[in-house]
Amino acid sequence: MKIRTRILALALLLSMLLGLCGCLPVPTVQKGDQTPEAEEMTIQSESPAQDEEIQTLAADGYFTPLAREALSFDEMTLGEISFDEFVPYAQALTQAAQSGSREAFHRACVEAESMLVKIDTAGTLLEIESDRDATDEARSTRADNQVQAYYDAMDLYQQTLCEIASGDHAGMLDKEFAAWQIEYFKSYDAESSAQSLDLTNQEAQLVSQYALCSSQDEGDYERLTEIYLQLVSVRAQMAELAGAANYSEYAYSAFYSRDYTPTDAQKIWKTAKEDFAPLLQKYTDSLTQALWKEDLGAEECTEEKIVQALCYGASRMSPEIREAAAYLLDHQLYDISYDCRKLSAGYTTYLYSFDAPFIFNCPDGSYTDYTDMFHEFGHWVAGYYHGSDPFYGVTDYDLSELQSQGMEVMFLQFYDELFADAAQALRAETLLNLVYSVVTGAMYDEFQQRVYLEPDLSEQRLLAIFREVYESYGFEPYDGYEYEWADVIHNFQQPLYYISYAVSAIPALELYVQSVESPNEAMDTYLRVAGMSDEEYYLTDALRETGLSNSMKSPIGDVIAQELERSGAFDFENG
């Protein structure tokens, strides 16, 4: 458990009012011209089979289901909610405190928090709509305005509670909030909060500019670089305002609540360079050739085929995974449809007012559309069973990414049935992509740590840093490679996130080695990992609980690399 650390991280996070989404963190399925009757039949046919004769690799008992209202995504509508609509709720808090009625104050607190959640969820819904058409500047502006309304409302909420906590009616807070929360409310400072809100707004505007610029047919790398340099400057000011030594230290603690420091992460840089980069160099070219021979045509990478594959694997993993997949599909809590205007990203986000996760992915018509869905389904299962706390939940993204990358690994044992003759090459691609996650996860962490430490960063120095880091991981330069970082959305939207892919991909690969020996044991291990809430546990807790190795403490990268080769994972030439 990490409640104490989470609380400290939360206090720092709230002080900046930054609402970063998860993995990482696509829109609802478009049913085209289907009639309602035909659409209903399609949804039912996509749901996992409830056939009792299907053998699962594990039984149930790993999760506790949440009670939630059964709404489809199309029914989850809130519209736009302005900051002005929250003002009466803040006034009600003050009036209830002055009345001396604990019942009235409790009711005012519940109603104010519920309204804050609605404003936040309205922002998430508008962001999904904006991501469906990243070229629509009006949609982007509406989403930005709604997110800003949430920041402003949260600021007023904290200001109001600060006034109550510092006044004659402070005792009214005792039964509603913990002692640390009350102390936090008392520490509210209007001047620093105004500075924080201004920086947050600047950051949001720059991220929106990035989304619009990156959605163009031709990449304007000079403009993207200009946006990125401005983001680095704004974030450096955020770290300074929060009293952190630098932005890397600030982000590791405030946003990601990691139980290791940026300096500690350098151990993973070394492991990635020495143990995993050689695997990429050894197998990438030959795997590319093998994949050309086994290329899945566009007719095999449709939304329908991907949903069918998800159902096939989920129904054979465990009854609880089957249930989660059925709910996802029956309530249309995903959008993996193709649209050239979509934001090029995949993520799972949480709709707090409806207590449900949602998957967004922008497909490209290749095999990775399958693995993207399997990956996001891992996040979705965790959200489905554990939920999320809109006020005090701070995610350990390292654990979250093991839950998602581990789900990718769990699907590998069904590849023969799903992909027939192409199975071996595609299985090798998935595993080599996990190796790639280790290498690039470390590479982008090193790149960004160096960037955020650089005084007076210029475009020339930025590109020089990337060249140095890129080549140190064994990648071969090519024409324009110095701008490769600009195509990675996380560098703009979620800085310092990428190390989570590296530290989680290593135990995910270990999980694959385990599955080769015993699929049932591997599934049990995975479900125990998935059964731990990423808002209550660290990745290190899950590793200790399941016996998976902690690469931060022991140099096991070389052992895993050897085991991958010994297992025949990359024998695709003979597949």
Side-chain angles (χ1 to χ4, degrees):
M1 297 285 286
K2 53 188 299 187
I3 298 301
R4 180 176 175 79
T5 304
R6 293 299 174 103
I7 287 173
L8 296 175
L10 173 70
L12 186 57
L13 178 64
L14 288 177
S15 70
M16 294 299 291
L17 293 174
L18 293 178
L20 295 180
C21 61
C23 163
L24 268 22
V26 187
T28 59
V29 176
Q30 304 299 309
K31 294 298 182 182
D33 297 326
Q34 287 180 318
T35 64
E37 293 80 7
E39 182 175 328
E40 182 178 354
M41 290 176 63
T42 301
I43 295 172
Q44 290 175 349
S45 67
E46 289 171 351
S47 298
Q50 300 299 315
D51 189 346
E52 293 298 330
E53 296 181 0
I54 293 180
Q55 295 295 312
T56 58
L57 292 168
D60 55 16
Y62 294 88
F63 304 96
T64 301
L66 293 177
R68 50 168 56 90
E69 188 177 0
L71 294 176
S72 294
F73 181 71
D74 289 343
E75 299 175 278
M76 299 177 180
T77 58
L78 291 174
E80 297 178 52
I81 306 175
S82 69
F83 163 72
D84 291 341
E85 293 180 67
F86 180 73
V87 174
Y89 291 86
Q91 294 171 340
L93 282 170
T94 300
Q95 294 167 0
Q98 293 172 346
S99 74
S101 169
R102 290 194 175 277
E103 180 181 352
F105 187 68
H106 172 74
R107 184 168 58 253
C109 287
V110 170
E111 291 175 352
E113 291 182 356
S114 177
M115 187 58 172
L116 284 170
V117 170
K118 285 182 66 176
I119 298 173
D120 179 39
T121 306
T124 302
L125 290 169
L126 287 172
E127 286 179 314
I128 292 171
E129 287 303 311
S130 177
D131 291 347
R132 282 173 163 168
D133 186 354
T135 68
D136 189 330
E137 192 165 356
R139 288 191 185 192
S140 177
T141 299
R142 283 196 299 273
D144 288 346
N145 290 342
Q146 186 62 63
V147 172
Q148 188 61 44
Y150 172 71
Y151 292 149
D152 292 339
M154 180 62 83
D155 183 62
L156 177 59
Y157 174 73
Q158 294 179 58
Q159 180 182 354
T160 301
L161 290 175
C162 173
E163 293 171 354
I164 296 172
S166 306
D168 296 335
H169 305 286
M172 298 296 292
L173 299 173
D174 293 343
K175 290 191 176 181
E176 299 296 329
F177 302 99
W180 73 268
Q181 293 170 301
I182 297 173
E183 288 304 311
Y184 172 72
F185 296 143
K186 288 180 179 179
S187 69
Y188 173 89
D189 179 79
E191 182 179 351
S192 63
S193 180
Q195 291 177 301
S196 174
L197 283 170
D198 180 60
L199 290 170
T200 299
N201 186 50
Q202 290 182 49
E203 181 187 45
Q205 293 296 326
L206 288 167
V207 170
S208 293
Q209 291 175 33
Y210 161 77
L212 288 169
C213 185
S214 64
S215 67
Q216 304 304 311
D217 293 335
E218 294 292 330
D220 185 349
Y221 289 110
E222 288 188 6
R223 176 59 182 145
L224 289 171
T225 301
E226 179 185 346
I227 292 171
Y228 187 70
L229 289 172
Q230 292 178 49
L231 277 169
V232 170
S233 176
V234 168
R235 287 165 176 160
Q237 295 175 64
M238 289 178 169
E240 182 179 1
L241 183 62
N246 55 67
Y247 186 76
S248 296
E249 295 280 355
Y250 174 61
Y252 262 55
S253 175
F255 299 145
Y256 306 123
S257 186
R258 291 176 174 139
D259 59 350
Y260 56 92
T261 67
T263 300
D264 293 333
Q266 295 181 22
K267 299 172 185 176
I268 300 297
W269 302 355
K270 184 174 184 291
T271 295
K273 291 176 183 179
E274 295 181 356
D275 301 326
F276 290 97
L279 286 179
L280 290 182
Q281 296 162 14
K282 182 176 181 179
Y283 290 111
T284 297
D285 289 344
S286 53
L287 176 57
T288 300
Q289 294 175 11
L291 290 170
W292 274 108
K293 299 176 184 177
E294 304 290 356
D295 183 42
L296 292 181
E299 69 280 359
E300 294 298 322
C301 298
T302 64
E303 179 181 336
E304 181 181 5
K305 292 284 189 181
I306 292 167
V307 167
Q308 289 174 353
L310 177 71
C311 293
Y312 184 90
S315 64
R316 286 159 176 78
M317 289 184 189
S318 78
E320 290 170 320
I321 299 299
R322 176 192 298 173
E323 175 193 324
Y327 194 95
L328 167 70
L329 301 177
D330 290 345
H331 297 87
Q332 298 176 265
L333 289 162
Y334 65 104
D335 181 348
I336 59 171
S337 60
Y338 173 76
D339 191 317
C340 63
R341 298 169 298 177
K342 266 184 165 182
L343 180 69
S344 181
Y347 58 79
T348 299
T349 190
Y350 206 83
L351 304 169
Y352 286 106
S353 289
F354 307 104
D355 206 12
F358 181 86
I359 292 175
F360 175 98
N361 192 48
C362 180
D364 61 11
S366 73
Y367 156 72
T368 57
D369 294 343
Y370 286 89
T371 53
D372 286 347
M373 185 59 168
F374 300 157
H375 179 102
E376 297 304 333
F377 181 57
H379 288 311
W380 200 92
V381 167
Y384 175 73
Y385 281 111
H386 301 306
S388 181
D389 188 325
F391 293 105
Y392 308 117
V394 181
T395 301
D396 179 47
Y397 289 101
D398 297 348
L399 175 54
S400 178
E401 289 303 334
L402 177 55
Q403 291 168 342
S404 59
Q405 295 191 111
M407 182 65 81
E408 290 185 60
V409 167
M410 289 298 97
F411 269 92
L412 291 177
Q413 55 207 299
F414 308 118
Y415 271 33
D416 290 333
E417 294 82 4
L418 295 176
F419 302 114
D421 293 341
Q424 183 64 5
L426 295 178
R427 187 181 291 113
E429 181 181 9
T430 297
L431 292 169
L432 204 61
N433 279 339
L434 287 171
V435 172
Y436 183 78
S437 291
V438 177
V439 178
T440 57
M443 180 184 76
Y444 281 115
D445 187 73
E446 181 174 353
F447 165 63
Q448 292 205 69
Q449 283 204 42
R450 289 184 58 180
V451 162
Y452 283 108
L453 285 174
E454 189 74 19
D456 302 319
L457 185 67
S458 65
E459 178 179 357
Q460 293 73 22
R461 184 57 187 147
L462 172 67
L463 299 182
I465 291 173
F466 185 73
R467 291 189 193 100
E468 293 169 13
V469 174
Y470 184 85
E471 294 180 29
S472 74
Y473 283 83
F475 291 113
E476 291 292 330
Y478 59 90
D479 186 27
Y481 80 99
E482 64 269 25
Y483 287 103
E484 187 174 307
W485 59 271
D487 293 321
V488 177
I489 192 171
H490 296 71
N491 289 331
F492 292 81
Q493 286 193 343
Q494 292 176 289
L496 282 303
Y497 186 105
Y498 243 62
I499 193 66
S500 290
Y501 291 123
V503 299
S504 59
I506 294 174
L509 288 166
E510 185 179 9
L511 194 59
Y512 168 74
V513 173
Q514 187 180 100
S515 72
V516 172
E517 298 295 329
S518 175
N520 298 84
E521 182 181 343
M523 182 57 66
D524 171 72
T525 300
Y526 172 74
L527 290 175
R528 285 192 286 148
V529 168
M532 301 176 76
S533 169
D534 58 22
E535 292 184 1
E536 295 182 7
Y537 297 91
Y538 285 114
L539 171 65
T540 49
D541 297 322
L543 300 181
R544 183 170 55 251
E545 175 70 21
T546 59
L548 293 171
S549 301
N550 186 341
S551 56
M552 198 70 72
K553 292 186 176 180
S554 57
I556 48 88
D558 58 335
V559 175
I560 292 177
Q562 292 169 13
E563 286 296 313
L564 286 173
E565 295 196 84
R566 187 182 67 82
S567 71
F570 302 122
D571 289 344
F572 42 81
E573 294 175 332
N574 301 319

